[in-house]
PDB file of all heavy atoms in Angstrom:
ATOM      1  N   ILE K 367      -0.898   7.169   0.650  1.00  0.00           N
ATOM      2  CA  ILE K 367      -1.090   6.368   1.862  1.00  0.00           C
ATOM      3  C   ILE K 367      -0.815   4.911   1.487  1.00  0.00           C
ATOM      4  O   ILE K 367      -1.514   4.335   0.649  1.00  0.00           O
ATOM      5  CB  ILE K 367      -2.515   6.500   2.419  1.00  0.00           C
ATOM      6  CG1 ILE K 367      -3.009   7.955   2.333  1.00  0.00           C
ATOM      7  CG2 ILE K 367      -2.581   5.964   3.830  1.00  0.00           C
ATOM      8  CD1 ILE K 367      -2.204   8.955   3.116  1.00  0.00           C
ATOM      9  N   THR K 368       0.216   4.329   2.092  1.00  0.00           N
ATOM     10  CA  THR K 368       0.622   2.970   1.735  1.00  0.00           C
ATOM     11  C   THR K 368       0.799   2.110   2.981  1.00  0.00           C
ATOM     12  O   THR K 368       0.870   2.614   4.097  1.00  0.00           O
ATOM     13  CB  THR K 368       1.960   2.974   0.976  1.00  0.00           C
ATOM     14  OG1 THR K 368       3.033   3.301   1.897  1.00  0.00           O
ATOM     15  CG2 THR K 368       1.965   3.967  -0.166  1.00  0.00           C
ATOM     16  N   LEU K 369       0.878   0.811   2.732  1.00  0.00           N
ATOM     17  CA  LEU K 369       1.357  -0.084   3.784  1.00  0.00           C
ATOM     18  C   LEU K 369       2.852   0.138   3.927  1.00  0.00           C
ATOM     19  O   LEU K 369       3.365   0.422   4.987  1.00  0.00           O
ATOM     20  CB  LEU K 369       1.051  -1.540   3.434  1.00  0.00           C
ATOM     21  CG  LEU K 369       1.596  -2.593   4.397  1.00  0.00           C
ATOM     22  CD1 LEU K 369       1.052  -2.392   5.798  1.00  0.00           C
ATOM     23  CD2 LEU K 369       1.265  -3.985   3.889  1.00  0.00           C
ATOM     24  N   ASP K 370       3.565   0.028   2.820  1.00  0.00           N
ATOM     25  CA  ASP K 370       4.996   0.307   2.740  1.00  0.00           C
ATOM     26  C   ASP K 370       5.413   0.014   1.312  1.00  0.00           C
ATOM     27  O   ASP K 370       5.323  -1.125   0.859  1.00  0.00           O
ATOM     28  CB  ASP K 370       5.791  -0.565   3.723  1.00  0.00           C
ATOM     29  CG  ASP K 370       7.258  -0.157   3.806  1.00  0.00           C
ATOM     30  OD1 ASP K 370       7.764   0.449   2.834  1.00  0.00           O
ATOM     31  OD2 ASP K 370       7.897  -0.436   4.826  1.00  0.00           O
ATOM     32  N   SER K 371       5.861   1.019   0.595  1.00  0.00           N
ATOM     33  CA  SER K 371       6.210   0.828  -0.820  1.00  0.00           C
ATOM     34  C   SER K 371       7.414  -0.077  -1.002  1.00  0.00           C
ATOM     35  O   SER K 371       7.684  -0.534  -2.114  1.00  0.00           O
ATOM     36  CB  SER K 371       6.482   2.184  -1.486  1.00  0.00           C
ATOM     37  OG  SER K 371       7.586   2.829  -0.882  1.00  0.00           O
ATOM     38  N   GLU K 372       8.150  -0.355   0.068  1.00  0.00           N
ATOM     39  CA  GLU K 372       9.294  -1.256  -0.031  1.00  0.00           C
ATOM     40  C   GLU K 372       8.880  -2.716   0.070  1.00  0.00           C
ATOM     41  O   GLU K 372       9.664  -3.600  -0.266  1.00  0.00           O
ATOM     42  CB  GLU K 372      10.317  -0.929   1.052  1.00  0.00           C
ATOM     43  CG  GLU K 372      10.981   0.440   0.892  1.00  0.00           C
ATOM     44  CD  GLU K 372      11.986   0.722   1.986  1.00  0.00           C
ATOM     45  OE1 GLU K 372      12.120  -0.121   2.899  1.00  0.00           O
ATOM     46  OE2 GLU K 372      12.625   1.782   1.949  1.00  0.00           O
ATOM     47  N   SER K 373       7.666  -2.976   0.552  1.00  0.00           N
ATOM     48  CA  SER K 373       7.270  -4.368   0.763  1.00  0.00           C
ATOM     49  C   SER K 373       5.943  -4.733   0.110  1.00  0.00           C
ATOM     50  O   SER K 373       5.601  -5.908   0.033  1.00  0.00           O
ATOM     51  CB  SER K 373       7.171  -4.659   2.272  1.00  0.00           C
ATOM     52  OG  SER K 373       6.201  -3.838   2.880  1.00  0.00           O
ATOM     53  N   CYS K 374       5.193  -3.739  -0.370  1.00  0.00           N
ATOM     54  CA  CYS K 374       3.868  -3.980  -0.953  1.00  0.00           C
ATOM     55  C   CYS K 374       3.903  -3.552  -2.416  1.00  0.00           C
ATOM     56  O   CYS K 374       4.106  -2.369  -2.712  1.00  0.00           O
ATOM     57  CB  CYS K 374       2.826  -3.183  -0.159  1.00  0.00           C
ATOM     58  SG  CYS K 374       1.243  -2.942  -0.985  1.00  0.00           S
ATOM     59  N   ALA K 375       3.713  -4.511  -3.335  1.00  0.00           N
ATOM     60  CA  ALA K 375       3.858  -4.210  -4.764  1.00  0.00           C
ATOM     61  C   ALA K 375       2.892  -3.135  -5.256  1.00  0.00           C
ATOM     62  O   ALA K 375       3.320  -2.192  -5.930  1.00  0.00           O
ATOM     63  CB  ALA K 375       3.712  -5.493  -5.589  1.00  0.00           C
ATOM     64  N   PRO K 376       1.590  -3.197  -4.950  1.00  0.00           N
ATOM     65  CA  PRO K 376       0.715  -2.109  -5.406  1.00  0.00           C
ATOM     66  C   PRO K 376       1.147  -0.753  -4.860  1.00  0.00           C
ATOM     67  O   PRO K 376       1.064   0.265  -5.553  1.00  0.00           O
ATOM     68  CB  PRO K 376      -0.661  -2.519  -4.867  1.00  0.00           C
ATOM     69  CG  PRO K 376      -0.586  -3.992  -4.703  1.00  0.00           C
ATOM     70  CD  PRO K 376       0.817  -4.269  -4.289  1.00  0.00           C
ATOM     71  N   CYS K 377       1.606  -0.753  -3.600  1.00  0.00           N
ATOM     72  CA  CYS K 377       2.077   0.503  -3.001  1.00  0.00           C
ATOM     73  C   CYS K 377       3.306   1.014  -3.740  1.00  0.00           C
ATOM     74  O   CYS K 377       3.443   2.213  -4.012  1.00  0.00           O
ATOM     75  CB  CYS K 377       2.404   0.303  -1.523  1.00  0.00           C
ATOM     76  SG  CYS K 377       0.997  -0.246  -0.519  1.00  0.00           S
ATOM     77  N   GLN K 378       4.218   0.095  -4.080  1.00  0.00           N
ATOM     78  CA  GLN K 378       5.443   0.479  -4.778  1.00  0.00           C
ATOM     79  C   GLN K 378       5.130   1.148  -6.109  1.00  0.00           C
ATOM     80  O   GLN K 378       5.664   2.220  -6.426  1.00  0.00           O
ATOM     81  CB  GLN K 378       6.323  -0.749  -5.020  1.00  0.00           C
ATOM     82  CG  GLN K 378       7.568  -0.443  -5.856  1.00  0.00           C
ATOM     83  CD  GLN K 378       8.306  -1.701  -6.284  1.00  0.00           C
ATOM     84  OE1 GLN K 378       8.058  -2.783  -5.778  1.00  0.00           O
ATOM     85  NE2 GLN K 378       9.219  -1.563  -7.229  1.00  0.00           N
ATOM     86  N   TYR K 379       4.234   0.537  -6.888  1.00  0.00           N
ATOM     87  CA  TYR K 379       3.959   1.071  -8.216  1.00  0.00           C
ATOM     88  C   TYR K 379       3.115   2.341  -8.163  1.00  0.00           C
ATOM     89  O   TYR K 379       3.210   3.188  -9.052  1.00  0.00           O
ATOM     90  CB  TYR K 379       3.319  -0.006  -9.096  1.00  0.00           C
ATOM     91  CG  TYR K 379       4.330  -1.080  -9.467  1.00  0.00           C
ATOM     92  CD1 TYR K 379       4.227  -2.372  -8.979  1.00  0.00           C
ATOM     93  CD2 TYR K 379       5.421  -0.771 -10.273  1.00  0.00           C
ATOM     94  CE1 TYR K 379       5.165  -3.339  -9.298  1.00  0.00           C
ATOM     95  CE2 TYR K 379       6.366  -1.725 -10.590  1.00  0.00           C
ATOM     96  CZ  TYR K 379       6.232  -3.006 -10.103  1.00  0.00           C
ATOM     97  OH  TYR K 379       7.181  -3.958 -10.421  1.00  0.00           O
ATOM     98  N   MET K 380       2.322   2.504  -7.101  1.00  0.00           N
ATOM     99  CA  MET K 380       1.592   3.765  -6.951  1.00  0.00           C
ATOM    100  C   MET K 380       2.566   4.900  -6.637  1.00  0.00           C
ATOM    101  O   MET K 380       2.465   5.996  -7.198  1.00  0.00           O
ATOM    102  CB  MET K 380       0.530   3.654  -5.862  1.00  0.00           C
ATOM    103  CG  MET K 380      -0.315   4.912  -5.719  1.00  0.00           C
ATOM    104  SD  MET K 380      -1.742   4.725  -4.634  1.00  0.00           S
ATOM    105  CE  MET K 380      -2.952   4.023  -5.747  1.00  0.00           C
ATOM    106  N   VAL K 381       3.524   4.629  -5.737  1.00  0.00           N
ATOM    107  CA  VAL K 381       4.531   5.643  -5.421  1.00  0.00           C
ATOM    108  C   VAL K 381       5.358   5.979  -6.665  1.00  0.00           C
ATOM    109  O   VAL K 381       5.634   7.151  -6.945  1.00  0.00           O
ATOM    110  CB  VAL K 381       5.443   5.159  -4.271  1.00  0.00           C
ATOM    111  CG1 VAL K 381       6.647   6.088  -4.112  1.00  0.00           C
ATOM    112  CG2 VAL K 381       4.664   5.107  -2.959  1.00  0.00           C
ATOM    113  N   GLU K 382       5.725   4.967  -7.423  1.00  0.00           N
ATOM    114  CA  GLU K 382       6.506   5.199  -8.644  1.00  0.00           C
ATOM    115  C   GLU K 382       5.740   6.076  -9.629  1.00  0.00           C
ATOM    116  O   GLU K 382       6.321   6.945 -10.292  1.00  0.00           O
ATOM    117  CB  GLU K 382       6.870   3.863  -9.303  1.00  0.00           C
ATOM    118  CG  GLU K 382       8.024   3.147  -8.631  1.00  0.00           C
ATOM    119  CD  GLU K 382       8.482   1.937  -9.420  1.00  0.00           C
ATOM    120  OE1 GLU K 382       7.975   1.725 -10.553  1.00  0.00           O
ATOM    121  OE2 GLU K 382       9.343   1.199  -8.920  1.00  0.00           O
ATOM    122  N   SER K 383       4.425   5.864  -9.738  1.00  0.00           N
ATOM    123  CA  SER K 383       3.637   6.650 -10.695  1.00  0.00           C
ATOM    124  C   SER K 383       3.658   8.125 -10.318  1.00  0.00           C
ATOM    125  O   SER K 383       3.701   8.994 -11.193  1.00  0.00           O
ATOM    126  CB  SER K 383       2.196   6.131 -10.753  1.00  0.00           C
ATOM    127  OG  SER K 383       1.488   6.432  -9.567  1.00  0.00           O
ATOM    128  N   VAL K 384       3.631   8.414  -9.018  1.00  0.00           N
ATOM    129  CA  VAL K 384       3.676   9.811  -8.565  1.00  0.00           C
ATOM    130  C   VAL K 384       5.073  10.392  -8.774  1.00  0.00           C
ATOM    131  O   VAL K 384       5.232  11.526  -9.246  1.00  0.00           O
ATOM    132  CB  VAL K 384       3.251   9.915  -7.084  1.00  0.00           C
ATOM    133  CG1 VAL K 384       3.448  11.331  -6.564  1.00  0.00           C
ATOM    134  CG2 VAL K 384       1.792   9.489  -6.922  1.00  0.00           C
ATOM    135  N   LYS K 385       6.092   9.628  -8.433  1.00  0.00           N
ATOM    136  CA  LYS K 385       7.472  10.093  -8.573  1.00  0.00           C
ATOM    137  C   LYS K 385       7.797  10.453 -10.029  1.00  0.00           C
ATOM    138  O   LYS K 385       8.563  11.377 -10.298  1.00  0.00           O
ATOM    139  CB  LYS K 385       8.449   9.025  -8.077  1.00  0.00           C
ATOM    140  CG  LYS K 385       8.508   8.897  -6.570  1.00  0.00           C
ATOM    141  CD  LYS K 385       9.328   7.703  -6.125  1.00  0.00           C
ATOM    142  CE  LYS K 385      10.793   7.856  -6.458  1.00  0.00           C
ATOM    143  NZ  LYS K 385      11.587   6.719  -5.929  1.00  0.00           N
ATOM    144  N   LYS K 386       7.193   9.723 -10.963  1.00  0.00           N
ATOM    145  CA  LYS K 386       7.491   9.959 -12.376  1.00  0.00           C
ATOM    146  C   LYS K 386       6.927  11.281 -12.887  1.00  0.00           C
ATOM    147  O   LYS K 386       7.506  11.891 -13.795  1.00  0.00           O
ATOM    148  CB  LYS K 386       6.934   8.803 -13.222  1.00  0.00           C
ATOM    149  CG  LYS K 386       7.766   7.533 -13.177  1.00  0.00           C
ATOM    150  CD  LYS K 386       7.157   6.470 -14.077  1.00  0.00           C
ATOM    151  CE  LYS K 386       7.962   5.186 -14.060  1.00  0.00           C
ATOM    152  NZ  LYS K 386       7.332   4.129 -14.913  1.00  0.00           N
ATOM    153  N   VAL K 387       5.790  11.722 -12.335  1.00  0.00           N
ATOM    154  CA  VAL K 387       5.152  12.915 -12.901  1.00  0.00           C
ATOM    155  C   VAL K 387       5.479  14.191 -12.135  1.00  0.00           C
ATOM    156  O   VAL K 387       5.378  15.283 -12.699  1.00  0.00           O
ATOM    157  CB  VAL K 387       3.615  12.764 -12.990  1.00  0.00           C
ATOM    158  CG1 VAL K 387       3.244  11.538 -13.789  1.00  0.00           C
ATOM    159  CG2 VAL K 387       2.978  12.716 -11.614  1.00  0.00           C
ATOM    160  N   THR K 388       5.869  14.096 -10.855  1.00  0.00           N
ATOM    161  CA  THR K 388       6.081  15.329 -10.086  1.00  0.00           C
ATOM    162  C   THR K 388       7.223  16.203 -10.603  1.00  0.00           C
ATOM    163  O   THR K 388       7.142  17.434 -10.452  1.00  0.00           O
ATOM    164  CB  THR K 388       6.283  15.019  -8.588  1.00  0.00           C
ATOM    165  OG1 THR K 388       7.239  13.960  -8.433  1.00  0.00           O
ATOM    166  CG2 THR K 388       4.974  14.608  -7.947  1.00  0.00           C
ATOM    167  N   PRO K 389       8.293  15.656 -11.224  1.00  0.00           N
ATOM    168  CA  PRO K 389       9.315  16.557 -11.787  1.00  0.00           C
ATOM    169  C   PRO K 389       8.751  17.516 -12.836  1.00  0.00           C
ATOM    170  O   PRO K 389       9.310  18.583 -13.072  1.00  0.00           O
ATOM    171  CB  PRO K 389      10.329  15.591 -12.399  1.00  0.00           C
ATOM    172  CG  PRO K 389      10.196  14.344 -11.608  1.00  0.00           C
ATOM    173  CD  PRO K 389       8.726  14.251 -11.298  1.00  0.00           C
TER     174      PRO K 389
END
Side-chain angles (χ1 to χ4, degrees):
I367 319 299
T368 72
L369 175 59
D370 188 336
S371 62
E372 294 180 357
S373 61
C374 162
C377 300
Q378 175 190 346
Y379 289 112
M380 183 171 276
V381 169
E382 282 188 6
S383 71
V384 174
K385 285 172 67 176
K386 283 182 180 178
V387 304
T388 48

